[in-house]
Amino acid sequence: MLFLAYIVLRGSYPEAFHEASKHLDPMMGGVNTVVLICSSFSMAMAVQMTKENRRKIASLLLVFTLLCAAGFMVVKFMEYSHKIHDGLLPGKYFTNKEIHDPKAALFFSIYFMMTGVHGIHVLVGMGLITWVLFKTLRNKVGSDYYTPTELTGLYWHLVDLVWIFLFPL
């Protein structure tokens, strides 16, 4: 629904969205994209290592995945902080004087909504990865039972895939 809302709003106010989008930092978004792709690879490898009963390596890969997720959130925090400082906030809280189109606040409303919901899903993923890490460290998963690791991996890949569509917008 959020992607559909973005498409409708962008089609309705193309000039405002174009002007507002110039205030995004493609470098930070690019870094976050690379971080999530690396985390997706490490998660896939953690699933494979779990299937092969290589729990120590799986644990290290899960920790790396968590570090990538935390890095993603740190970059997103820095992005949000910069936007808040510049008054690039949703709705009536939009106070930026550089952007003259009054509909630009809509862009930041949908931006914060879409990236915020994605951020919540990253946090949920971090919780699931932590849970699987503890199961791995306690030898509760392995070649005979790897369903929690595999399902968590699928969830994490979905979160990453959503970002791949969200970033270009």
Side-chain angles (χ1 to χ4, degrees):
M1 291 306 295
L2 289 173
F3 281 102
L4 182 61
Y6 175 85
I7 290 167
V8 169
L9 289 171
R10 183 177 178 147
S12 300
Y13 309 106
E15 297 84 14
F17 272 53
H18 179 71
E19 186 178 359
S21 69
K22 292 178 182 176
H23 292 267
L24 299 179
D25 188 340
M27 179 60 79
M28 285 187 167
V31 166
N32 265 348
T33 301
V34 170
V35 165
L36 284 183
I37 289 170
C38 290
S39 75
S40 200
F41 177 75
S42 63
M43 187 69 220
M45 293 304 299
V47 171
Q48 184 60 38
M49 293 299 106
T50 302
K51 288 179 179 180
E52 295 176 9
N53 273 329
R54 298 170 72 183
R55 290 182 188 96
K56 186 173 183 177
I57 296 171
S59 297
L60 292 173
L61 288 163
L62 290 168
V63 167
F64 179 79
T65 305
L66 279 171
L67 291 173
C68 288
F72 177 90
M73 294 304 290
V74 166
V75 171
K76 193 50 65 184
F77 173 80
M78 292 185 323
E79 274 188 285
Y80 276 20
S81 296
H82 183 72
K83 285 178 187 30
I84 291 167
H85 179 265
D86 288 347
L88 300 170
L89 296 166
K92 67 180 183 177
Y93 302 106
F94 184 86
T95 59
N96 185 280
K97 302 298 182 203
E98 295 175 29
I99 301 177
H100 303 293
D101 194 316
K103 298 295 184 181
L106 280 174
F107 174 85
F108 289 101
S109 295
I110 197 75
Y111 166 82
F112 278 105
M113 181 65 74
M114 292 178 83
T115 58
V117 168
H118 182 263
I120 290 168
H121 284 89
V122 169
L123 292 173
V124 169
M126 290 174 74
L128 290 170
I129 293 166
T130 301
W131 172 67
V132 167
L133 176 60
F134 284 125
K135 289 183 89 56
T136 304
L137 292 171
R138 293 182 182 147
N139 293 324
K140 301 284 185 185
V141 292
S143 61
D144 56 334
Y145 178 65
Y146 51 85
T147 302
T149 310
E150 192 164 50
L151 291 177
T152 298
L154 288 173
Y155 175 83
W156 192 247
H157 295 317
L158 178 64
V159 169
D160 291 352
L161 183 64
V162 168
W163 178 256
I164 296 299
F165 286 102
L166 187 58
F167 173 57
L169 298 180

